Amino acid sequence: MSETGALDSLLHEDRRFPPPEPFRRDALISDPAIYDEAAADPEAWWARWAAELDWYEPWHTVLEWTPPHAKWFVGGKLNVCHNCIDRHLEGPRRNKAALIWEGEPGDTRVMTYYGLHRRVAKFAHVLRNLGVEKGDRVAIYLPMVPEAAIAMLACARIGAVHSVVFGGFSPDSLADRIVDAGAKVLITADGGYRRGTLIPLKNNADRAMEHTPSIEHCIVVARTPSTARELDVRMSAGRDLWYHDLMRDIEGGVPCEPMDSEDNLFILYTSGTTGRPKGVVHTTGGYLTQCQATTRWVFDLKEDDRYWCTADVGWITGHSYIVYGPLANGATVFMYEGAPDWPNRGRFWHLCEKYGITVFYTAPTAIRAFMRWGEEWPAKYDLSQLRLLGTVGEPINPEAWMWYHEVIGEKRCPIVDTWWQTETGAIMITPLPGVTETKPGTATRPFPGIEAQIRSEAGEEVKAGYLAVTKPWPSMLRTIWGDDERFRETYWSKWPDTYFPGDGARTDDDGYFWILGRVDDVLNVAGHRIGTMEVESALVDDHRVAEAAVVGKKHDVKGQSIAAFVTLKEGHEPSTDTADELKQHVVEKIGAIARPELILFTVDLPKTRSGKIMRRLLQDIAEGRAVGDTTTLADPEVVRRLQQRYEEG
Ligand code: WTA
């Protein structure tokens, strides 16, 4: 949503939704006093949560804070896989469904905690036999199949550090991430289903592995055996191994490796303001503590819930709220492989009915697509099991919030609008569904134990400005993989000892936080973070392009779409074909999520006298607004010509 949209809703929003009485009565938390209790001593508060996990050795210090580096539960030893699986095997959860899965073609699988344990322990053994040791990196490039969770948990079991790469990324993007992390093993699949077609993951992986000398083995899950002949999957002898062969031949599992609370659990790459994605590093004890706490309280998670988070495991939401948070709580997680509109636009609601989903967590961009597809789709299905709805990924516009509330939640379900990031690891600002009175468009208040403020550039607390997190929190990123300087520079240089998330925010009379969106050169396209510089680098990588500038353009469903202003080198003429080829080039370099919607050719780009491209101005042009003050431009004529071109279409 645009900043002005959020502002309008903030200024005019007076609809209030207290927790519905029946919900409040049964909620795990309904007493607002817990906010004060947590604020009185946040370290003691988080230590109480950490104590809900199983530890091999207790910590001696809750928090060691030498800004910008924090260590949580120092000296403690635990294993994430043990806490997500093994410890549930003792009691009645042994035979409880841990994962219920449906593939896009309609195939289904159910794994109990016992069954999940057996597979994870065996696969951990496989990895160890291939020479994967504690601290080694393992790249995972899989569709949304149970093996994605199994692979992550198997890494955690032996102390290997996973780096999951979203299956929609290109071979180049995959290769960059493997090289940066120095991964030894790559786990992929022959293919995956998306809107009825096969995504050729192994072929992509082969192209990536031409540039990844660190990879010793590639393990391939046979996801599409009956249809995959058309994918022409080739196995390179010695390097490539079938998952099912390895699992058949291995004898038994391996136990969990006791890990230091501050040992690395995973790396996850995300976009920033430079062309190179950054490897966000998360560790063990603090991460799991906050995942467990937020999953339980934000989603009011109970033993008999059937919980569905629609994210892909390739993003942080999939890590924390499909795998680690829910399984640490012993929940039943539903996982779906494919697209929401396949074979028709009722698929999600059909799944909710079929599996009796009670808690549903998705993104505003999906909600806006559902709105556009019409109420007739959810109306065909029985959604009466749903009791709680969540959103994440971008600001939710009030119309979408109200539609979600009325059409999907049938006015019965509270909505939790959760603000957080890859870097924060877990939810930071959110309603508690049995406590908080919600308003459409605001993530409301920091989770108990979290402290946030809205600050000016100078660091004063203000009503509108930048979001700031003022105290360390357990699941915070520890560094950027291989680049601690970038970690300091990006997040900790704006104000002393305070985390800068890169978002703008406002507050209202209730003290609620209204997140307005990114204030840096990061776009949010359909809930995916994409750096403008990444797309620019992909464009100038084409031999015809001299210079490119990328901006976000308001989009009704995606929130933002990508608009690129391109200058061609001498001897190349703009044409629709060239524009299409450039779009395709970006898809090949990064992935389909980065495809520019609009390419506009220009002879020059508007720059300040110091040579900085004026993105604000380009955005005004892309969004068709009047161009503002141009006096700081080197050549104001450029803008006039650009705008004319735009208006001519
Ligand atoms: C945006 C996704 C408003 C924000 C978990 C943040 C949101 C970025 C919300 C992180 C929300 C996420 N309201 N904005 N509820 N949730 N954002 O790393 O700009 O993929 O900085 O993590 O998404 O995106 P990321």
Side-chain angles (χ1 to χ4, degrees), residues 316-317 392-395 417-422 503 515 518 524 529:
I316 190 68
T317 307
V392 60
E394 57 179 310
D417 171 358
T418 62
W419 176 88
W420 59 294
Q421 309 178 294
T422 305
D503 279 319
I515 313 297
R518 304 290 308 188
N524 191 327
R529 268 169 77 166

Side-chain angles (χ1 to χ4, degrees), residues 576-592:
T576 325
D577 282 350
T578 309
D580 289 344
E581 285 157 24
L582 292 180
K583 288 179 190 176
Q584 194 49 35
H585 188 70
V586 175
V587 172
E588 273 160 29
K589 292 302 285 183
I590 304 175

Side-chain angles (χ1 to χ4, degrees), residues 301-449:
L301 209 59
K302 311 225 177 68
E303 209 55 61
D304 55 359
D305 271 310
R306 285 186 159 201
Y307 163 94
W308 181 15
C309 164
T310 69
D312 191 285
V313 286
W315 310 115
I316 190 68
T317 307
H319 284 58
S320 303
Y321 297 105
I322 294 177
V323 181
Y324 293 120
L327 296 180
N329 280 290
T332 295
V333 176
F334 175 69
M335 193 173 170
Y336 167 61
E337 178 189 34
D341 54 352
W342 190 266
N344 62 49
R345 294 171 163 181
R347 184 66 184 268
F348 272 20
W349 317 124
H350 176 237
L351 292 170
C352 283
E353 176 185 296
K354 181 173 174 187
Y355 293 101
I357 302 301
T358 56
V359 178
F360 180 76
Y361 189 30
T362 196
T365 182
I367 298 166
R368 289 190 298 265
F370 301 143
M371 278 174 81
R372 183 171 275 200
W373 297 343
E375 288 178 28
E376 60 270 28
W377 288 107
K380 287 187 216 281
Y381 301 94
D382 176 5
L383 301 180
S384 62
Q385 301 281 306
L386 287 173
R387 61 180 198 89
L388 176 61
L389 304 173
T391 79
V392 60
E394 57 179 310
I396 182 163
N397 47 315
E399 309 87 271
W401 196 102
M402 287 305 297
W403 188 90
Y404 201 30
H405 171 70
E406 285 168 3
V407 179
I408 305 304
E410 298 167 343
K411 301 189 181 166
R412 166 188 77 243
C413 308
I415 295 180
V416 286
D417 171 358
T418 62
W419 176 88
W420 59 294
Q421 309 178 294
T422 305
E423 293 87 341
T424 68
I427 293 171
M428 300 290 280
I429 302 182
T430 176
L432 290 178
V435 176
T436 314
E437 182 172 76
T438 55
K439 294 190 261 186
T442 165
T444 74
R445 302 176 63 183
F447 188 81

Side-chain angles (χ1 to χ4, degrees), residues 115-135:
L116 182 62
H117 173 260
R118 183 163 168 77
R119 289 174 176 88
V120 168
K122 277 179 74 174
F123 191 55
H125 194 182
V126 165
L127 291 175
R128 190 160 280 165
N129 273 6
L130 291 177
V132 177
E133 284 170 21
K134 184 171 165 174

Side-chain angles (χ1 to χ4, degrees), residues 523-538:
L523 307 180
N524 191 327
V525 180
H528 301 317
R529 268 169 77 166
I530 297 167
T532 50
M533 290 268 286
E534 273 174 86
V535 182
E536 288 164 6
S537 314

